[in-house]
Amino acid sequence: MARRQTLQRPVQYLKGVGPRRAERFARLGVTTARDLLYHVPNRYEDATTVAEIAALRPGDDATVMGTVVSKGVLPTRKGLRIFHAVIRDHSGLIECAWPGQPWLDNKVERGQLLLVTGSVHFFHGRQLRPREFTVLAEGRDESSGEGRVYPIYPATEGLSQGQIRAVVDANLDGLLEEIAEREAFDPAWRRAVGLVHLREALETLHRPEILSSVEPARRRLAYEELFYLQLLHARARHRLRARSPGLALAAPPELSGSFVREHLPFRLTSAQERAWAEICGDMESPERMYRLLQGDVGSGKTAVAAAAMLKAVENGLQAAIMAPTELLAEQHHRTLSGLMAPLGVTPRLLTGAATGARRRDLAAGIRAGEVSVVVGTHALIQEGVEFGRPGLVVIDEQHRFGVEQRRALRDAGGSADTLVMSATPIPRSLALTLYGDLDLSIIDEMPPGRREVITGIRGSDDRDAAFAFVRRQLQAGRQAYVVYPLVEKSDAIEARAATAEFEELRSRFPEYELGLVHGRLGSAEKDEMMRRFLRGETHLLVATTVIEVGIDVPNATVMVIEHAERFGLAQLHQLRGRVGRGGEQSYCVAFFSGSVPPDRLRAFARTSDGFALAREDLRLRGEGNVFGLQQHGLPVLRFADLDRDYDLLIHARERARVLVSGDPELAERSNRVFARDLAERYADQEALYGVG
């Protein structure tokens, strides 16, 4: 008996492939037999309910299937060139016409089987004018296509749908036999989630008999994808905790309790209280905390983080917070100093600006444990900085740091708890996908009394009126931002640029001081320009998105965004969050190009709820790489839809955590299948986990 091929076999050795075609498959990410099996269609054409050509009547809107028997391009008296093709099914012939698309003559060939949808007209006989069409097969007789659902695969140049289908058909049965033996989920597990067998799912996706069978098959692969993602998270989470056991911070809450009850200038919202309770539970546990604190701009994350830092201090330990820029570190230092002063706690600041004796003295105090709270930048992880009694590490805007920087700060903290903060609202489903190795706390409620930023979407004709409004705000003593998508003019992109428009704005506002900040400036120049704006020396700041995550300027009340259609919803929301930081009413004006604003700008104007906008962004654009999955070492989700499949995600997360808690190395006989799949399919991703 011949030895069965393995799923890891290079694709070039499969039937109908070979070296040259294998190179083309590689462009699609298909390099092994398993890859081919999982290279499932991204859509289907349903030929089971097509109309007969003979039955078509003028006025009908129909889908028909037929073989191309003739074709050509015909000119009209007005110079319009029309591509014509005559197609035939078992009942008769009909002419299809594509006005103004003569290039189709190079795409459509005689003998091809087409599926065509469009309206039927009378023009020297019946004529179909297609809205869309699909080449179902090359050189096939129309009788072979009747009653079929046609898979449409992701394709590439030199590899047609017909060629991909032929390769899949030639190899599918053998691959399905092998995959049947590698089903990872037992019958009870599948019944609990409502999953079909893996073999059935893959066979259905490649050879569906009816379209309704596709969705259960997709959900089976979606669950598998989410489960292994959560298994990676769970293993990383376990290894982080096993590496250092953590500290049980159980001292009476003399500082943190007094801070929350008496010294905060406001009452915590219910969302803040919930997050604080979750963090308290983690810090009092002997297991090391790894938690993500997520909240919108202005939702009060810093107050919750301050309470956590005081909890470390009241237990005789140190707390550190690392920010991505010196300006943000300085802002945190000012805020925490004001909050903690009534309790007799004095935070210290350590950035690259601290040099010589000042730096040595501060480092010595940190090493001796005399500095209880330290705020800093990456200077916290440079040589010579050691914590004597670390208890809590807080990382703000952690995505702005490199992997090695985050790892270094975590390691510098020894057994300290880790709290990661993010002001970029992410839907819960996506947060669990991106940060499944962290426990999640979400502050999804804004403090009472906070004024909503009034947002207007305007066309280019409204620019003079908008800048007249900006002038009135400046005359009232306020400050404003104007943000552009480009630093300099580009021949490839028709959009306003910051450097060119800066001069135009100087002539428009000659009596005011303007500043310019963009990504091509050095860090010192950017910081100095932002400090001038913070001190009120600059009235109008012209910028690119480098200010997207920036410092608070309470006196800034207007944000003008040029070419807003070029920004994502998350970016727009972060930019709007730069204003409304003080007590005055603030405004955001978003200019768009063209006659009609896109849907996401309408959504942006409707709500200032960052989580609602993030969900809308996910709906409009799909998860894809919108939130930077690849930065986190995660595979882009191919089968799962985080909106539709939230139930699968939650089940996968719970099962993965339970499995790892009982058998972290997946050594038990029943779990070896998971260990094998991780080693074969996710080794690269697992190597990147564990950073947090």
Side-chain angles (χ1 to χ4, degrees):
M1 181 176 177
R3 186 172 181 270
R4 188 191 301 274
Q5 67 180 3
T6 69
L7 292 170
Q8 299 304 107
R9 187 180 187 184
V11 72
Q12 80 172 75
Y13 298 115
L14 297 182
K15 296 176 186 175
V17 184
R20 181 173 297 179
R21 192 167 282 175
E23 292 177 2
R24 294 166 183 165
F25 270 112
R27 293 203 294 266
L28 297 169
V30 177
T31 60
T32 68
R34 182 194 291 275
D35 293 337
L36 181 69
L37 192 56
Y38 278 80
H39 186 69
V40 300
N42 51 13
R43 65 185 178 89
Y44 297 86
E45 293 290 357
D46 188 0
T48 62
T49 56
V50 296
E52 291 186 342
I53 287 176
L56 297 181
R57 296 290 181 267
D60 288 350
D61 194 88
T63 297
V64 298
M65 182 176 62
T67 301
V68 179
V69 295
S70 65
K71 64 160 191 163
V73 176
L74 299 177
T76 67
R77 293 178 183 175
K78 295 182 179 180
L80 181 68
R81 303 178 72 207
I82 303 174
F83 175 68
H84 290 254
V86 176
I87 64 171
R88 178 187 66 199
D89 69 4
H90 69 279
S91 69
L93 302 167
I94 193 167
E95 180 186 59
C96 301
W98 287 267
Q101 300 182 61
W103 53 269
L104 286 177
D105 195 33
N106 297 321
K107 183 174 180 180
V108 175
E109 302 293 341
R110 292 183 182 84
Q112 287 179 335
L113 184 65
L114 303 187
L115 192 72
V116 184
T117 299
S119 56
V120 182
H121 299 261
F122 189 87
F123 184 76
H124 302 300
R126 294 176 309 155
Q127 186 182 80
L128 185 66
R129 296 181 188 172
R131 290 190 304 277
E132 57 182 302
F133 77 97
T134 302
V135 178
L136 296 179
E138 307 283 343
R140 298 271 295 275
D141 183 76
E142 72 274 6
S143 62
S144 64
E146 292 179 354
R148 288 185 61 182
V149 175
Y150 276 86
I152 307 300
Y153 290 91
T156 186
E157 186 177 354
L159 201 57
S160 68
Q161 288 294 323
Q163 291 168 330
I164 295 174
R165 284 197 207 102
V167 170
V168 170
D169 287 343
N171 294 279
L172 186 59
D173 291 332
L175 295 175
L176 288 173
E177 282 185 33
E178 185 172 358
I179 206 71
E181 300 172 1
R182 299 170 72 92
E183 170 62 80
F185 309 121
D186 62 41
W189 190 328
R190 295 199 303 274
R191 283 195 299 272
V193 199
L195 303 177
V196 300
H197 192 282
L198 179 58
R199 172 177 178 148
E200 179 185 342
L202 287 164
E203 185 168 22
T204 298
L205 288 170
H206 288 291
R207 294 172 178 167
E209 294 185 3
I210 54 174
L211 273 179
S212 60
S213 65
V214 168
E215 177 58 13
R218 183 203 63 82
R219 276 177 62 86
R220 170 60 178 78
L221 295 194
Y223 181 82
E224 177 181 290
E225 183 173 54
L226 292 170
F227 173 77
Y228 281 107
L229 190 58
Q230 292 302 316
L231 191 58
L232 287 170
H233 282 314
R235 297 244 290 179
R237 185 173 180 266
H238 173 81
R239 287 168 180 170
L240 280 170
R241 284 161 171 75
R243 201 174 299 158
S244 53
L247 305 164
L249 308 189
E254 295 176 356
L255 291 175
S256 60
S258 176
F259 173 73
V260 170
R261 291 191 306 270
E262 302 166 21
H263 294 289
L264 269 177
F266 50 83
R267 284 193 61 183
L268 293 181
T269 64
S270 58
Q272 285 174 308
E273 287 180 346
R274 183 176 63 247
W276 171 228
E278 291 166 347
I279 291 168
C280 271
D282 281 358
M283 295 181 76
E284 291 169 4
S285 164
E287 286 194 352
R288 192 174 176 186
M289 175 176 75
Y290 291 96
R291 183 168 288 275
L292 170 65
L293 178 61
Q294 190 191 354
D296 211 341
V297 174
S299 62
K301 296 182 299 299
T302 304
V304 174
M309 297 173 85
L310 289 169
K311 187 171 184 64
V313 174
E314 70 196 8
N315 279 269
L317 302 173
Q318 295 167 290
I321 178 169
M322 184 167 77
T325 67
E326 286 196 9
L327 276 171
L328 199 51
E330 291 169 5
Q331 176 173 292
H332 278 314
H333 182 250
R334 285 193 301 272
T335 301
L336 292 174
S337 295
L339 291 174
M340 295 180 179
L343 296 161
V345 177
T346 305
R348 299 292 299 277
L349 178 66
L350 178 60
T351 67
T355 58
R358 179 182 163 206
R359 178 184 175 82
R360 287 193 298 273
D361 291 346
L362 186 51
I366 294 171
R367 185 165 51 251
E370 297 166 358
V371 175
S372 57
V373 175
V374 60
V375 183
T377 57
H378 62 279
L380 290 174
I381 56 176
Q382 290 178 342
E383 188 176 353
V385 180
E386 298 176 14
F387 288 85
R389 295 177 289 106
L392 175 68
V393 169
V394 181
I395 304 175
D396 190 23
E397 296 296 342
Q398 66 98 28
H399 63 280
R400 301 283 293 273
F401 293 104
V403 169
E404 292 304 322
Q405 288 176 314
R406 300 202 303 272
R407 188 200 306 273
L409 183 61
R410 190 195 66 210
D411 292 346
S415 297
D417 290 327
T418 300
L419 182 65
V420 172
M421 295 200 301
S422 175
T424 303
I426 304 172
R428 178 175 288 269
S429 59
L430 191 56
L432 292 176
T433 305
L434 290 174
Y435 305 109
D437 48 333
L438 302 176
D439 294 308
L440 181 63
S441 291
I442 295 180
I443 302 178
D444 52 5
E445 179 183 359
M446 299 300 283
R450 181 176 170 84
R451 291 194 181 190
E452 186 169 325
V453 176
I454 296 174
T455 303
I457 307 299
R458 299 289 183 266
S460 56
D461 292 344
D462 298 318
R463 182 166 280 101
D464 287 342
F467 281 116
F469 174 75
V470 171
R471 176 179 295 281
R472 290 195 295 274
Q473 288 288 302
L474 297 180
Q475 289 170 341
R478 309 298 170 212
Q479 291 165 278
Y481 298 92
V482 183
V483 174
Y484 295 91
L486 303 176
V487 176
E488 295 177 346
K489 276 285 188 183
S490 167
D491 292 334
I493 302 174
E494 187 176 341
R496 295 173 182 265
T499 51
E501 296 301 317
F502 177 70
E503 296 303 325
E504 192 275 332
L505 287 171
R506 286 179 72 173
S507 64
R508 187 187 283 267
F509 297 98
E511 69 273 41
Y512 294 102
E513 187 69 30
L514 273 65
L516 176 64
V517 61
H518 52 74
R520 294 184 186 174
L521 295 178
S523 296
E525 291 177 279
K526 281 188 290 189
D527 285 356
E528 178 55 28
M529 187 57 67
M530 291 302 298
R531 285 190 180 93
R532 287 176 55 81
F533 191 63
L534 179 61
R535 293 193 299 261
E537 297 168 10
T538 300
H539 306 106
L540 182 66
L541 188 64
V542 180
T544 58
T545 54
V546 294
I547 64 161
E548 179 184 339
V549 177
I551 58 172
D552 295 341
V553 181
N555 193 47
T557 57
V558 185
M559 168 62 69
V560 177
I561 307 172
E562 293 275 12
H563 296 286
E565 74 280 358
R566 292 190 171 275
F567 299 96
L569 268 176
Q571 276 187 313
L572 290 169
H573 182 63
Q574 290 295 323
L575 290 170
R576 176 168 58 185
R578 294 300 96 221
V579 297
R581 312 296 291 169
E584 299 296 326
Q585 178 63 60
S586 294
Y587 308 86
C588 177
V589 181
F591 286 112
F592 65 91
S593 304
S595 56
V596 179
D599 287 345
R600 70 174 181 277
L601 290 189
R602 296 180 189 276
F604 175 60
R606 279 197 306 269
T607 181
S608 59
D609 182 338
F611 287 95
L613 289 173
R615 288 191 293 272
E616 180 70 6
D617 211 15
L618 190 64
R619 185 188 70 80
L620 288 172
R621 298 169 62 179
E623 57 272 12
N625 284 326
V626 172
F627 295 95
L629 272 70
Q630 288 182 328
Q631 296 176 35
H632 299 267
L634 302 182
V636 174
L637 297 177
R638 294 174 56 205
F639 310 112
D641 179 299
L642 293 178
D643 187 28
R644 285 187 292 169
D645 300 329
Y646 185 66
D647 61 321
L648 299 183
L649 172 61
I650 295 303
H651 188 279
R653 184 172 186 257
E654 292 173 355
R655 289 302 292 260
R657 287 194 169 187
V658 168
L659 192 153
V660 169
S661 66
D663 181 18
E665 298 306 316
L666 305 178
E668 295 178 9
R669 185 180 183 86
S670 60
N671 294 332
R672 289 175 192 167
V673 61
F674 304 123
R676 179 201 65 200
D677 283 350
L678 285 179
E680 288 184 0
R681 302 167 60 189
Y682 299 100
D684 291 343
Q685 283 81 10
E686 189 161 31
L688 292 173
Y689 273 69
V691 173

